[in-house]
């Protein structure tokens, strides 16, 4: 009797498994992933130092300082309050959404002497 029950259960399970799934009518809306831009601080400064971005498109700069021989121990972005410390060998995420086309300087606290340009299109 028990074997029969198990068999019946198995068959039921198999039947359920093989039942066609109802078709999904609406596809879930995918949020566009924020563009991530990997950046390093080396003895050459910020690498890359010129980056193209798009107005109104959020980006995340992922900045890793890889040397102590630099004064760029933080990253500032012109025209924003962004001022993120860059600990050695630790990726730091800097989220930013450019609002208008043009060139935006970024770089170290010393007037971005070590730094680069974000080219906003
Ligand atoms: Cu500096």
């Amino acid at each position: 009797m028990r074997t029969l029950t198990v068999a019946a259960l198995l068959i039921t399970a198999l039947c359920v498994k093989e039942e066609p799934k109802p078709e999904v009518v609406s596809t879930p809306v995918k949020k566009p992933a924020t563009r991530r831009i990997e950046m390093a601080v080396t003895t050459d400064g910020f690498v890359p130092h010129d980056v193209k971005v798009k107005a109104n498109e959020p980006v995340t700069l992922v900045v890793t300082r890889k040397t102590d021989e630099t004064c760029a121990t933080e990253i500032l972005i012109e025209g924003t309050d962004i001022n993120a410390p860059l600990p050695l060998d630790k990726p730091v995420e800097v989220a930013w959404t450019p609002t208008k086309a043009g060139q935006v300087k970024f770089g170290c606290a010393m007037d971005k002497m070590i730094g680069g340009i974000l080219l906003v299109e």
Side-chain angles (χ1 to χ4, degrees), residues 1-13:
M1 200 58 192
R2 205 174 159 212
T3 336
L4 252 178
T5 317
V6 171
L9 275 174
L10 262 174
I11 288 164
T12 316

Side-chain angles (χ1 to χ4, degrees), residues 22-45:
E23 257 179 59
V24 181
V25 183
S26 64
T27 45
V29 179
K30 266 192 193 168
K31 257 192 178 178
T34 306
R35 193 178 146 211
R36 294 169 71 83
I37 299 164
E38 302 272 343
M39 210 178 254
V41 178
T42 73
T43 47
D44 294 330

